[in-house]
Amino acid sequence: MTAWRDVEQAEPEFAQRVRALFDAHKHKTIATLRADGSPRISGIETVFEDGELGFGSMADARKGADLRRDPRFALHSATVDPVDGAEAQWPGEAKISGRAIAGPVTDGSDSFRADIAEVVHTHLNEQATRLVVEWWTPTNGLRRVERE
């Protein structure tokens, strides 16, 4: 299993940027898979605690049922538009995908922690002329591409 602490240990600066994007706003988006295999997008809150990335689901919510049936997920940080004229200061957006490990039900809510498969930070280069995609996986480490 790959926990958030593993990302922090492998690439501390990259992990700090990704976490800052997730911590910047309360609400994020999660993609899960419905019983028929089609995607479902839901709002969610996340927490980084004790080296783990955790999230929950209200009792009887469809996203919790999705994750218990098929643990694959993709999380997306909140996204804000670059400010005209200050595009180079745009912090970008972050994504984390993997498998949800079910925890105990507390206060009638499901809890999950992430077994991380991939972490992505998409942003602009310093000149704001190219899109930069950086991604980390437990197998291949940190990689980077720039696109026009």
Side-chain angles (χ1 to χ4, degrees):
M1 187 181 129
T2 302
W4 181 250
R5 74 176 59 82
D6 299 315
V7 182
E8 291 177 317
Q9 290 170 356
E11 295 292 338
E13 190 272 335
F14 172 74
Q16 181 181 25
R17 284 187 278 129
V18 168
R19 181 171 176 173
L21 288 166
F22 271 91
D23 287 345
H25 301 277
K26 183 175 184 177
H27 298 105
K28 291 79 169 167
T29 306
I30 189 168
T32 59
L33 294 170
R34 299 171 193 254
D36 67 2
S38 63
R40 181 189 316 272
I41 300 292
S42 305
I44 198 161
E45 297 173 19
T46 59
V47 63
F48 293 90
E49 189 171 79
D50 298 327
E52 300 279 354
L53 169 59
F55 44 92
S57 175
M58 293 187 302
D60 300 321
R62 299 310 322 146
K63 67 185 158 199
D66 290 348
L67 292 169
R68 285 190 303 279
R69 187 187 54 263
D70 184 329
R72 293 177 291 173
F73 72 88
L75 281 169
H76 192 276
S77 68
T79 302
V80 297
D81 292 334
V83 174
D84 289 339
E87 289 85 355
Q89 276 72 59
W90 180 58
E93 60 186 23
K95 301 175 199 100
I96 300 173
S97 63
R99 294 185 173 272
I101 308 299
V105 175
T106 56
D107 299 325
S109 296
D110 293 321
S111 66
F112 300 92
R113 59 189 165 91
D115 176 6
I116 297 170
E118 182 179 59
V119 180
V120 180
H121 180 206
T122 304
H123 55 97
L124 298 174
N125 67 356
E126 290 181 16
Q127 298 78 28
T129 56
R130 298 174 66 94
L131 185 68
V132 178
V133 181
E134 296 176 277
W135 71 101
W136 179 91
T137 65
T139 305
N140 296 314
L142 185 62
R143 294 178 284 172
R144 175 187 172 112
V145 295
E146 290 193 22
R147 298 182 178 148
E148 289 191 36

